[in-house]
Amino acid sequence: MRQQFVPPDLAERSLETFGLEDRLLLLQEEAGELGVAISHFRRGRCGAWQEVMEELADVLVVAEQVCACQGVAEDVTSQARAKVARLESLLAQVQ
């Protein structure tokens, strides 16, 4: 089972306090920062791996807040299962 980083009650409180639009904007910002950190890592920048880990953690934490919104977690789970099945198919073709 995957690690859950944000307790469900805390994620729900963040949605009630800030709203879904705000959490989506924050997720977009954090995803952009993760992209920059990955670019730094690929260019060999000192300390970039730690930067990637920090930004990845930010993305995971905010994504869990978004998933606390009614119905989103179920939709995301369904999409993730489809993507995992596609990955399994791809790996079967390569091996």
Side-chain angles (χ1 to χ4, degrees):
M1 174 156 256
R2 185 184 68 77
Q3 168 73 40
Q4 185 172 356
F5 301 102
V6 182
D9 62 315
L10 185 60
E12 290 172 14
R13 281 193 2 230
S14 76
L15 279 171
E16 291 169 5
T17 302
F18 302 111
L20 179 59
E21 281 294 318
D22 177 81
R23 298 295 87 183
L24 287 171
L25 177 60
L26 184 57
L27 181 58
Q28 179 180 356
E29 291 172 5
E30 297 299 352
E33 290 173 8
L34 176 59
V36 171
I38 291 169
S39 291
H40 292 167
F41 176 74
R42 293 185 71 202
R43 288 197 316 257
R45 183 174 175 178
C46 183
W49 183 248
Q50 181 62 33
E51 182 184 358
V52 170
M53 294 300 101
E54 290 172 12
E55 298 304 337
L56 183 56
D58 286 343
V59 167
L60 290 170
V61 167
V62 177
E64 284 190 1
Q65 293 172 54
V66 171
C67 286
C69 188
Q70 185 67 32
V72 171
E74 294 83 8
D75 290 346
V76 170
T77 298
S78 174
Q79 292 295 324
R81 286 185 178 137
K83 293 183 181 295
V84 168
R86 192 171 351 161
L87 175 61
E88 288 174 336
S89 176
L90 176 64
L91 290 173
Q93 293 172 11
V94 175
Q95 295 174 348

